[in-house]
Amino acid sequence: PELEDTGWQELPGCQAVAGTGCDFSSAISEYYDAHYVRLQSKTIFPVDTVDDLAPDSTYCFKVQANLPSEGKQGLFSPISCVKTSQKVNDLLCATNLSVLALNMKFHLLWRAQEHQGVNYNVQYLLGFWKKLNDDYSDKWLSVPRCENITSTWCNFSSIITTTGFYYLRVQAREGHNKSCFSREVKVDPLKTNEIGPPGVRLDLSDTLLHIIISPPGGAEEEVMRDHYDLSYRILYWRNSSSMEEEVKHKEVKQTIATVSDVSPSTLYCVKVQAFSEPYNKSGAYSQQECIHTPAGTSLPLIIFGIFMGALLLVLLVATPLVFLLYQAYNKIKYVFFPSCQPPLNIEGFGAHPFSSPYLSAAEESVENCCVIESMVTEEGNQIVFADYKHSKQSSRDSGNYSNDDNTSGSKESKETLEKEVV
C-alpha cells in the first residue's frame, strides 16, 4: 500500500503470457541481493586480497582459523566492516587476466583498454610467501622477457616448476609517474596445465597393426610423462564406405600398442587420447591416422617362401665353407700323412723313414769304402798289391764308388797288408 504507482515494474518473462501462471524467481533473487545480506566464505592466507567487490558498498568480515590436518576449527573473530569507494574506470589497468597452459607451456593473457603509450610488466610471487604471516609486498619478481612490453600476452614457462604454486599480476605503466596493478591470478602448474593430443604413427607387420604413440609435448617432455602418469585411450575402426563399422577401443600404459587380426586390403583408422587418472585430466584426441593393409597372401605360401629362403641362405653360406674345409684337409693329409711309401732301397733299407718333400731332411751319413785288388806273380813269390780304390758312398750312390778321395788312408792300408804277407 505504501508503493506508489511509479514503483510498479513488469516482471521479466511475464509479459503477455498465454497461461495463468508466471515464474518470477529471478526477480526475487535480484531483490534479495539488493536488500539483504548474502554470506560468502573464502579460504585466505594471513595476508591476502579479496577481488571483485562492488563499488560504493559496505562489506563486513569475520575470520576463523582452522587446522585441516587435525580437523580443528577455531572461533570467529569480531566483525569488521568497510565501505568500498566509488568505482572508477581506470583505462590504464589490464583486465580479464587468464592463463592458457598446454603441455607445460604457460601463457598469461590480458585485455588492454583503449589507451595509448602503455607498457606492461608481468610480476610473479612464489605461493609460499602468502602462507607466512608477513608482508610480502616486496617479494614480487618480474618475469624474464616480460618487462616493459607492449603486447598483451606473456610466456612465463621459464619460471614454472612442479614443486609449488604461483601468483601473477600485470603492472600497467604510462610514462614514469602513473601505474596500475591488475588483480592477481593463481597458477598451480600441474592442476592448471592441460594435456594436449599425443602423436600417432602406424605400422603393419603380417596380420598385426602397430600403433606407436608419442607423449603430449614430445618425447623430450619428461614432466608430462613422469608427473602425470599418463595412460592412452585408443579408438580404431575399419573405414569402409559400404558398411558402418563399430568403433573399438583399448587402453594402454605403454607408448606401443598392437591390434591383431586385421583384415587384408582394408583401410584402418586410429586416433588416441592421453589421460591422467591421478589428476582426473583428459586431453584432446589426436588427428585421425589411417593405413591400408596389403592384399592377403595364403599362410601356406608364406611358410613355404620362408622355408625356401632360409634353405637358400644356408646353401649359400655352407657351400664355400665346406669347400674350404675340404681343401685344408687335403693339404694337411698330404703333408703329414702321405698316401704312398718309396721303395726300401731308396728309403735306406728301412733304417730311416721316408721324409716328406715339404719337410726339411736330416743330413745323410756318408760311408767310407775301400776296394783292394791283389795280384800274385811268379817272380820271387812276391805278392804285388795293385792300387786300391777308395770312395765315399752314400745311401743314394746305389753301389757306385768313387776313387778320388782319402789317398792317405789307402797308403796305410797297403803297408799293413804287406807286413801281414811277409
Side-chain angles (χ1 to χ4, degrees):
E2 297 178 358
L3 293 178
E4 299 179 359
D5 293 341
T6 57
W8 290 93
Q9 298 180 10
E10 293 184 351
L11 292 174
C14 294
Q15 295 92 359
V17 293
T20 57
C22 174
D23 182 6
F24 57 96
S25 57
S26 60
I28 293 178
S29 178
E30 292 177 1
Y31 183 83
Y32 183 88
D33 291 341
H35 296 83
Y36 292 91
V37 176
R38 171 173 290 183
L39 294 178
Q40 299 181 12
S41 63
K42 180 180 181 180
T43 302
I44 61 172
F45 296 105
V47 179
D48 210 338
T49 302
V50 178
D51 297 318
D52 302 328
L53 298 181
D56 197 18
S57 300
T58 300
Y59 286 88
C60 297
F61 300 88
K62 61 180 181 179
V63 182
Q64 178 191 47
N66 299 324
L67 289 175
S69 59
E70 300 181 9
K72 294 182 178 180
Q73 293 182 346
L75 299 176
F76 278 100
S77 67
I79 298 176
S80 298
C81 298
V82 63
K83 184 175 181 179
T84 59
S85 60
Q86 190 72 27
K87 184 176 181 180
V88 177
N89 292 327
D90 193 343
L91 299 179
L92 188 64
C93 293
T95 59
N96 296 347
L97 270 69
S98 61
V99 175
L100 177 62
L102 183 66
N103 296 336
M104 299 306 293
K105 301 295 186 291
F106 291 83
H107 292 80
L108 178 66
L109 310 177
W110 63 90
R111 178 178 297 176
Q113 304 185 64
E114 296 180 2
H115 203 76
Q116 301 297 327
V118 178
N119 293 331
Y120 299 100
N121 182 28
V122 181
Q123 299 177 346
Y124 72 96
L125 176 72
L126 298 177
F128 75 90
W129 287 113
K130 285 199 173 186
K131 292 184 177 181
L132 305 178
N133 191 10
D134 198 2
D135 182 15
Y136 55 83
S137 59
D138 60 342
K139 305 300 182 182
W140 289 88
L141 302 173
S142 296
V143 177
R145 296 184 296 277
C146 291
E147 302 171 280
N148 297 323
I149 59 176
T150 57
S151 59
T152 58
W153 63 272
C154 167
N155 184 346
F156 62 97
S157 305
S158 59
I159 69 168
I160 294 297
T161 64
T162 58
T163 57
F165 60 98
Y166 304 83
Y167 288 89
L168 286 97
R169 68 183 184 183
V170 179
Q171 180 186 23
R173 184 183 297 275
E174 183 182 24
H176 298 283
N177 299 324
K178 190 176 181 181
S179 66
C180 176
F181 285 99
S182 68
R183 68 177 182 88
E184 300 172 7
V185 59
K186 181 181 178 180
V187 177
D188 191 342
L190 292 178
K191 293 181 179 179
T192 306
N193 180 62
E194 297 294 337
I195 301 175
V200 180
R201 183 168 59 88
L202 304 180
D203 192 14
L204 285 170
S205 63
D206 296 335
T207 58
L208 299 177
L209 172 62
H210 301 286
I211 304 171
I212 300 94
I213 304 170
S214 299
E220 70 281 357
E221 189 57 72
E222 297 180 358
V223 175
M224 295 295 297
R225 184 178 64 250
D226 299 336
H227 288 77
Y228 280 106
D229 190 22
L230 292 175
S231 300
Y232 300 97
R233 185 175 294 110
I234 302 173
L235 302 181
Y236 64 97
W237 65 93
R238 292 197 299 179
N239 196 348
S240 175
S241 58
S242 59
M243 63 180 72
E244 268 203 38
E245 294 292 338
E246 178 185 0
V247 177
K248 301 179 181 179
H249 76 278
K250 63 187 307 183
E251 294 182 359
V252 295
K253 293 284 292 183
Q254 300 80 11
T255 55
I256 297 179
T258 302
V259 177
S260 58
D261 299 330
V262 295
S263 304
S265 300
T266 305
L267 184 64
Y268 282 88
C269 294
V270 177
K271 59 181 180 179
V272 182
Q273 178 193 44
F275 65 94
S276 172
E277 291 184 355
Y279 286 88
N280 194 24
K281 283 180 174 289
S282 296
Y285 277 97
S286 66
Q287 292 185 352
Q288 177 177 304
E289 296 289 334
C290 298
I291 191 171
H292 199 281
T293 58
T297 305
S298 61
L299 185 60
L301 186 58
I302 295 176
I303 296 175
F304 177 75
I306 295 174
F307 173 76
M308 293 303 296
L311 181 61
L312 180 60
L313 182 62
V314 170
L315 290 177
L316 290 176
V317 174
T319 302
L321 182 61
V322 171
F323 178 76
L324 291 176
L325 292 176
Y326 179 74
Q327 292 296 326
Y329 169 76
N330 285 341
K331 294 293 184 184
I332 295 172
K333 182 179 179 182
Y334 179 71
V335 172
F336 294 100
F337 307 101
S339 59
C340 60
Q341 299 292 334
L344 292 177
N345 57 347
I346 295 177
E347 197 174 353
F349 300 100
H352 301 284
F354 175 73
S355 298
S356 171
Y358 293 95
L359 303 177
S360 60
E363 185 179 357
E364 297 179 353
S365 62
V366 179
E367 297 177 356
N368 292 330
C369 301
C370 295
V371 178
I372 302 175
E373 294 180 0
S374 63
M375 181 182 295
V376 181
T377 60
E378 296 288 336
E379 299 176 0
N381 295 323
Q382 183 177 1
I383 300 176
V384 180
F385 292 92
D387 195 9
Y388 68 95
K389 296 179 181 178
H390 179 269
S391 66
K392 293 180 180 179
Q393 180 180 2
S394 66
S395 61
R396 293 185 180 180
D397 288 342
S398 302
N400 298 327
Y401 299 92
S402 171
N403 53 5
D404 296 331
D405 300 324
N406 212 351
T407 56
S408 62
S410 64
K411 288 179 181 181
E412 293 175 359
S413 300
K414 182 177 180 180
E415 292 174 358
T416 304
L417 289 175
E418 286 178 353
K419 288 181 181 181
E420 288 179 357
V421 172
V422 175

